[in-house]
Amino acid sequence: MSETCHTYSQQLMGTTVSLQLFVENLPAVSAVFQTIQALETRLTVNRNHSEVMSINHAAGSQPVAVSKLVFDLIRQAKQASLLPHSCFNFAIGPLVKLWKIGFNGHSVPPAEEIAQRLTLTSPELIRLDEKNHTVFLTRTGMEIDLGAIAKGYIADITKLVLASYGIHQAIINCGGNVLTIGSSPLTSNQQWHIGLKRPFAAADSLLGILHLQNKSVVTSGIYERYFILNEKLYHHIIDPQSGYPLDNELQSVTIISDNSLTGDIYSTILYGLGVERGIKELDKHQYMGAIFVTKDKKIIIRSNQHFEFKSLADDYQICSYELN
């Protein structure tokens, strides 16, 4: 099948955001990128001024009123951070800034500094006032960071913007958060084909292809932002219990779900749990599927009723996993 594809992209959120449409609708494209830019301005911690930074600047001092949109996202981030054994933690900001991984950080911080910052990363210490939409970081030095959830949220909002223009077939790629909308006009079975990146390889090198419809694909992995020191790899997914990068058997976890926000949250949570505990948690959520990729080159697929996976990597083995 053939269909004209119109692709648009802009540099936003520190990455390339791309949009693929199958109708030419420049007002819709403009609305999408303006919406993303406006949301980034509210949510970023990489500029001095944003709604989130206004909360961080007032840490230990006073509650800060924010828009309902920002408050709702912070509320969801706190809920995810308080889940049992969750390595998703929106209060992790002090440790992210200390390590600087992905931002010219190439050294391991002193252990005493890591321990001190850990005391500022408890999500229980963040008070939310539902009535007044205020957020209060109760200790000086605390910082929230919505980087692990913002792209998914923004991708989901973008889908709503497109729907308001009558567009129900598209792909949104927010720098790794891929959201497919509707069915594909490009294939006979109407499934989208989404590449799963090969860890520690060129950008166009793939482990395989996902075949799916109207689903989000989000990956958390150790191969995008990292440094190597004394033959040890330090990546950007920080363990909120230890303050150091998580160290387990995984290279990545990919979540296939109905919305991108869910993918953001659970790709981080399942990565932190590792394969066995991650599968046990995943099995509680039948609306999600996952692909676990391990350091010993195994691909473990779970809940694959949501998608098909076609492997392209001969040196990786697709394996089943039996829970103990």
Side-chain angles (χ1 to χ4, degrees), residues 86-153:
S86 175
C87 78
F88 183 100
N89 184 356
F90 82 129
I92 203 75
L95 282 166
V96 172
K97 287 203 169 177
L98 179 64
W99 279 91
K100 300 187 182 75
I101 298 173
F103 301 92
N104 298 317
H106 303 291
S107 61
V108 178
E112 59 272 19
E113 286 192 41
I114 292 173
Q116 190 274 327
R117 298 287 180 104
L118 265 176
T119 66
L120 301 172
T121 61
S122 176
E124 293 91 347
L125 296 174
I126 299 174
R127 296 181 190 165
L128 305 184
D129 183 330
E130 295 273 354
K131 180 180 177 181
N132 298 307
H133 293 161
T134 62
V135 182
F136 183 29
L137 311 186
T138 56
R139 290 188 184 173
T140 302
M142 292 185 74
E143 295 186 36
I144 59 174
D145 186 337
L146 300 178
I149 199 173
K151 285 182 183 178
Y153 176 75

Side-chain angles (χ1 to χ4, degrees), residues 240-257:
Q241 300 303 313
S242 71
Y244 288 81
L246 277 156
D247 187 13
N248 61 21
E249 76 274 39
L250 287 166
Q251 289 184 326
S252 68
V253 174
T254 298
I255 296 292
I256 297 88
S257 55

Side-chain angles (χ1 to χ4, degrees), residues 35-54:
T35 299
I36 294 173
Q37 195 167 34
L39 290 171
E40 180 186 14
T41 298
R42 291 185 181 198
L43 300 171
T44 186
V45 294
N46 295 320
R47 303 173 192 167
N48 282 328
H49 302 288
S50 72
E51 288 190 49
V52 172
M53 285 305 295
S54 69

Side-chain angles (χ1 to χ4, degrees), residues 15-33:
T15 189
T16 300
V17 177
S18 67
L19 180 65
Q20 291 183 30
L21 304 181
F22 300 91
V23 293
E24 193 166 9
N25 190 326
L26 293 180
V29 173
S30 178
V32 163
F33 288 127

Side-chain angles (χ1 to χ4, degrees), residues 197-202 222-224 226 228 233 251 295 316:
K197 190 178 182 302
R198 183 187 181 93
F200 302 106
I222 65 174
Y223 50 84
E224 293 290 352
Y226 66 91
I228 296 174
L233 184 144
Q251 289 184 326
K295 292 174 181 175
Y316 279 76

